[in-house]
Amino acid sequence: MELSAVLMRLLWLSAALAASSSSRRPRSAEAPQSSSPFGPVWPLPRSIRISPDRLQLAPRRFQIVHGAGSSAGPQCSLLQDAFRRYYEYLFGYSKHQKHEEKSLANTELAALQIIITSEEPDCDKYPDISSDEEYNLSIGEPVAVLKAEKVWGALRGLETFSQLVFEDDYGTFFINASDITDFPRFAHRGILIDTARHFLPLKSILTTLDAMAFNKFNVLHWHIVDDQSFPYQSITFPELSAQGSYSYNHIYTPTDVRLVIEYARLRGIRVLPEFDTPGHTQSWGKGQKDILTPCYNGEHPTGSYGPINPILNATYEFMAKFFKEVGTVFPDEYIHLGGDEVDFSCWKSNPAVKEFVRKQGVWYSYTKLESYYIDKMLDVVSSLNKKSIVWQEVFDNGAELSSDSVVEVWMGNSYEEELRKVTKEGLPAILAAPWYLDYISYGQDWMKYYKVEPLSFSGCETQKKLVLGGEACLWGEYVDATNLIPRLWPRASAVGERLWSSKNVTDLEDAYSRLSEHRCRMLRRGIAAQPLNVGFCRHEVRNP
Ligand SMILES: *[C@@H]1O[C@H](CO)[C@@H](O)[C@H](O)[C@H]1NC(C)=O
Ligand SMILES: *[C@@H]1O[C@H](CO)[C@@H](O)[C@H](O)[C@H]1NC(C)=O
Ligand SMILES: *[C@@H]1O[C@H](CO)[C@@H](O)[C@H](O)[C@H]1NC(C)=O
Ligand SMILES: *[C@@H]1O[C@H](CO)[C@@H](O)[C@H](O)[C@H]1NC(C)=O
């Protein structure tokens, strides 16, 4: 064949592929029965009773609607958007079918009614750490009723409902009559993405948010900049990304950032921005003169730079302006200040920094200098009426953390001991250490993440209550758009259930059975979740 003919053929194939992927019906969907007594639901609700009574759903007739007495109606665009989305997840494949819907032989479930009970449904709000995610779901003839105080609970309940509907081999949809009451064990259930080591296209971030909603995660921890690149386009300091990003293609414009935040909000997910300083900041130096410490060799500057320069007033003037913008752009009440892995060697080499430290007296150290810097940053954040989250070194080095600052525990060697210490000081904590998903290994490592018990450290009840939750972290050294999704899912799902479900949900065999189906469900919804083990998904088709 001519090269051009081959090319034409390829183009035609890819167009055909694109067209078929949205319209093709799978031969058969997921297994109608889960081998788990709880059905194929993930994460497991607080309490779930599934009866053997099966109800049939007719895609053409079935409706997701606002129930009588709900404080939210059609003007609640967050719910309207969710209704549309979940209808698509339920019947996405089948609605393209042209066949007539016969009257059903079975008892029919006609609708899912959503009732928001609080006067303030929170339709136009952003979720926060104290958002109420509780819901009750009662599925029975003739309608299913989903009750929640706030829209956040309704979103979680819609997800659960959608997971209980299954399609048999003949394309008929069923759900078992069930009763569910549910609420999360931990309030902070996060996924960390790193857009500095590799840029992640907007689409990858949005797909991650979709998958997070399927797993009831509620915080996207956006480690947005680092040494390697500064993709965040600042309105106040546009040179930061103009000079510090990988290229003008590798940036997040203000519009991109707004889009991520709104997409997340519609799924009940907070966007927690991290601008890590004073270390991990090489990229800041390209677009902001004198922000980094010049390193010296004896009397002479080496031409390389170290952490943020902590001894210049200009540094803090810049940081105040920059974080003022961050506080405006990101609606979350928390800002993550980073503060990890600060290398002191450059500070120690710089004559002016050395002199600064010497002048403070004999007891002063570089650790104290770091705390001096961080304390000023903590003040910047609180002057914005926001709260700070910091990596554990900030606590270890004795910075003056106010009681609402959160310490994120990440060091693997003795995180129980660190949790004990942090909470002993009365500070809230987030656990990340056992959930560094960027470390990969052969086999079913999800089990390792699943087996973690976040409150296994020694401490009193008050201390345990200070653990707000945890995060699965996917650092980006070896991750970009090609492998972000399969590396996260379904491995992060294990963390999702650990943070949502009751403490006693620890049966690995049952989890495996539900997670296998959950992985297939994610695939069906367009999430390229990697396999857990050998096997297959029933909906897989020969030529997708
Ligand atoms: C759902 O109902 C079917 C049919 O009665 C039953 O066989 C199945 O065990 C039920 N599913 C669950 C998870 O209880
Ligand atoms: C859910 O049911 C429980 C137990 O009956 C009840 O205490 C709770 O208030 C209900 N929650 C909602 C949102 O209806
Ligand atoms: C930096 O600010 C402090 C406090 O406002 C002031 O005392 C000091 O003189 C300033 N230093 C320089 C170099 O401007
Ligand atoms: C966990 O404990 C609760 C309350 O004690 C109980 O109702 C529930 O069935 C238990 N769940 C599992 C999976 O053991």
Side-chain angles (χ1 to χ4, degrees):
M1 250 195 285
E2 291 283 325
L3 190 59
S4 62
V6 173
L7 260 175
M8 286 306 290
R9 171 82 185 144
L10 264 176
L11 281 175
W12 177 86
L13 249 178
S14 56
L17 272 176
S20 73
S21 64
S22 60
S23 63
R24 191 160 186 143
R25 225 181 76 66
R27 254 163 229 204
S28 68
E30 259 137 58
Q33 327 272 304
S34 167
S35 47
S36 164
F38 307 114
V41 54
W42 189 279
L44 195 65
R46 279 280 144 163
S47 134
I48 177 166
R49 277 202 319 271
I50 303 187
S51 91
D53 299 336
R54 296 204 315 182
L55 308 170
Q56 193 175 337
L57 289 76
R60 298 277 169 111
R61 287 196 294 271
F62 181 80
Q63 288 185 313
I64 305 176
V65 293
H66 299 282
S70 176
S71 63
Q75 75 287 354
C76 182
S77 57
L78 181 145
L79 284 183
Q80 294 298 124
D81 193 66
F83 290 2
R84 187 191 47 69
R85 212 164 57 235
Y86 277 99
Y87 183 87
E88 185 74 21
Y89 295 144
L90 288 173
F91 310 117
Y93 296 108
S94 292
K95 75 169 196 273
H96 302 285
Q97 278 184 297
K98 293 279 179 281
H99 76 78
E100 281 300 306
E101 219 148 63
K102 351 177 236 318
S103 62
L104 308 177
N106 301 274
T107 318
E108 182 175 345
L109 185 72
L112 170 62
Q113 293 181 347
I114 317 288
I115 299 176
I116 308 292
T117 56
S118 160
E119 287 304 314
E120 292 284 340
D122 282 6
C123 285
D124 301 311
K125 291 236 175 91
Y126 290 96
D128 61 40
I129 184 80
S130 50
S131 287
D132 186 346
E133 295 174 288
E134 179 179 341
Y135 66 91
N136 290 343
L137 177 59
S138 155
I139 302 161
E141 211 203 331
V143 293
V145 178
L146 168 57
K147 267 195 193 168
E149 285 263 319
K150 305 279 187 179
V151 291
W152 318 119
L155 291 173
R156 306 298 171 238
L158 275 164
E159 177 57 38
T160 302
F161 179 85
S162 73
Q163 295 187 358
L164 292 171
V165 174
F166 60 89
E167 185 182 4
D168 72 6
D169 287 346
Y170 309 98
T172 309
F173 291 90
F174 290 101
I175 191 165
N176 286 42
S178 315
D179 263 306
I180 293 157
T181 61
D182 201 10
F183 52 90
R185 182 176 175 207
F186 293 103
H188 184 115
R189 305 180 307 280
I191 296 285
L192 178 147
I193 56 166
D194 167 5
T195 56
R197 274 53 181 266
H198 285 93
F199 181 80
L200 296 172
L202 208 51
K203 186 160 183 295
S204 301
I205 299 178
L206 302 186
T207 305
T208 301
L209 288 167
D210 282 332
M212 285 172 67
F214 303 155
N215 290 274
K216 296 189 169 79
F217 278 97
N218 65 356
V219 181
L220 179 73
H221 176 164
W222 193 353
H223 184 87
I224 190 163
V225 303
D226 206 293
D227 282 329
Q228 292 81 359
S229 76
F230 198 104
Y232 171 79
Q233 189 178 58
S234 164
I235 304 153
T236 328
F237 301 101
E239 285 304 301
L240 287 170
S241 61
Q243 306 299 327
S245 67
Y246 281 132
S247 88
Y248 64 85
N249 266 327
H250 297 84
I251 55 165
Y252 303 106
T253 66
T255 311
D256 294 339
V257 173
R258 269 199 303 275
L259 187 75
V260 169
I261 293 168
E262 181 61 6
Y263 198 88
R265 185 186 81 83
L266 292 173
R267 287 155 184 77
I269 297 171
R270 298 162 47 203
V271 177
L272 168 66
E274 177 183 354
F275 286 90
D276 190 0
T277 67
H280 290 278
T281 47
Q282 288 297 302
S283 68
W284 299 55
K286 297 189 176 146
Q288 183 64 24
K289 203 168 154 309
D290 298 334
I291 193 69
L292 300 181
T293 310
C295 313
Y296 277 69
N297 186 358
E299 306 285 286
H300 308 289
T302 61
S304 59
Y305 293 87
I308 299 287
N309 192 330
I311 65 164
L312 301 180
N313 288 353
T315 294
Y316 300 103
E317 285 159 24
F318 164 80
M319 287 297 176
K321 281 190 201 144
F322 181 75
F323 276 91
K324 185 164 187 226
E325 172 185 320
V326 170
T328 312
V329 168
F330 293 89
D332 204 73
E333 65 173 322
Y334 286 94
I335 294 175
H336 201 304
L337 286 174
D340 59 322
E341 300 182 308
V342 183
D343 177 3
F344 295 147
S345 56
C346 184
W347 281 353
K348 284 180 180 167
S349 79
N350 182 296
V353 176
K354 263 199 295 206
E355 179 59 15
F356 182 93
V357 168
R358 196 190 58 77
K359 272 184 30 208
Q360 312 303 313
V362 285
W363 301 110
Y364 209 75
S365 64
Y366 287 87
T367 308
K368 290 224 168 75
L369 179 61
E370 183 190 345
S371 295
Y372 165 85
Y373 170 83
I374 292 280
D375 286 344
K376 283 179 176 265
M377 296 305 296
L378 291 166
D379 289 344
V380 166
V381 171
S382 57
S383 77
L384 301 167
N385 284 323
K386 300 247 180 184
K387 298 174 186 170
S388 297
I389 304 185
V390 291
W391 294 110
Q392 73 178 73
E393 290 99 312
V394 170
F395 168 80
D396 297 342
N397 294 342
E400 287 173 29
L401 291 163
S402 61
S403 63
D404 58 6
S405 301
V406 180
V407 179
E408 181 158 12
V409 174
W410 71 275
M411 289 175 150
N413 40 9
S414 57
Y415 65 82
E416 286 106 337
E417 178 58 10
E418 184 75 5
L419 282 172
R420 189 191 66 75
K421 283 194 208 152
V422 169
T423 55
K424 184 88 184 153
E425 291 298 310
L427 293 168
I430 294 170
L431 180 62
W435 294 316
Y436 266 37
L437 270 51
D438 48 314
Y439 288 93
I440 50 176
S441 56
Y442 187 78
Q444 301 204 44
D445 62 355
W446 69 273
M447 292 184 182
K448 178 175 77 188
Y449 306 129
Y450 193 76
K451 284 183 196 157
V452 172
E453 169 42 51
L455 302 187
S456 62
F457 65 93
S458 59
C460 62
E461 270 315 296
T462 324
Q463 280 174 270
K464 308 271 163 120
K465 285 217 173 68
L466 285 166
V467 177
L468 303 178
E471 291 184 349
C473 301
L474 193 61
W475 295 100
E477 286 85 352
Y478 303 97
V479 174
D480 69 4
T482 62
N483 59 355
L484 172 80
I485 299 295
R487 195 159 287 191
L488 262 181
W489 311 105
R491 294 162 77 231
S493 304
V495 184
E497 177 152 298
R498 182 54 53 236
L499 294 173
W500 178 279
S501 304
S502 305
K503 184 175 179 177
N504 61 355
V505 178
T506 51
D507 181 336
L508 274 177
E509 207 177 309
D510 181 68
Y512 178 71
S513 143
R514 286 180 296 108
L515 188 55
S516 302
E517 294 193 54
H518 185 52
R519 183 251 166 179
C520 291
R521 176 166 51 233
M522 286 196 279
L523 275 191
R524 202 162 46 127
R525 295 180 182 184
I527 306 298
Q530 71 179 15
L532 283 168
N533 199 351
V534 292
F536 71 106
C537 290
R538 290 176 51 122
H539 73 273
E540 280 168 335
V541 291
R542 194 163 55 88
N543 289 311

